[in-house]
């Protein structure tokens, strides 16, 4: 696919710089980091994205937003019972 577009909170910056090439990262004026990348779309990627919790918003593709939202809903469901 065309890859992922990700938006990270400033607090995640050190992790982002560990995982992404500098060419893949741009810093916004408010300190958020935008990253564009291509990873194999598998269970590892899902775990990786989930590990950022509230520090990450997947901007695109839309179906990855849906996948993450669904996983987060499942997690939330455990605590809401």
């Amino acid at each position: 696919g065309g890859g992922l577009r990700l938006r990270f909170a400033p607090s995640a910056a050190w992790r982002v710089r560990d995982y992404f090439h500098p060419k893949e990262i741009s810093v916004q004026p408010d300190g958020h980091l935008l990253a564009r990348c291509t990873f194999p779309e598998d269970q590892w990627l899902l775990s990786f994205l989930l590990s950022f919790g509230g520090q990450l918003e997947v901007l695109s593709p839309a179906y990855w937003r849906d996948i993450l939202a669904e996983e987060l809903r499942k997690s939330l469901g455990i605590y809401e019972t």
Side-chain angles (χ1 to χ4, degrees):
L4 292 157
R5 287 186 60 238
L6 309 171
R7 183 173 182 264
F8 293 96
S11 55
W14 63 275
R15 280 190 68 198
V16 174
R17 295 185 194 285
D18 271 351
Y19 279 102
F20 299 91
H21 192 277
K23 283 184 194 143
E24 296 175 319
I25 302 167
S26 59
V27 182
Q28 296 186 297
D30 66 2
H32 281 77
L33 290 85
L34 295 179
R36 289 173 178 271
C37 58
T38 46
F39 285 120
E41 299 191 4
D42 55 16
Q43 189 63 41
W44 180 88
L45 177 59
L46 179 58
S47 298
F48 173 68
L49 296 176
L50 285 169
S51 73
F52 285 93
Q55 295 178 306
L56 166 66
E57 181 187 0
V58 177
L59 299 177
S60 64
Y63 66 88
W64 266 103
R65 288 178 66 92
D66 295 341
I67 290 169
L68 272 173
E70 181 56 32
E71 287 298 317
L72 292 167
R73 270 193 292 272
K74 283 185 208 164
S75 299
L76 194 57
I78 293 167
Y79 293 100
E80 286 185 331
T81 50

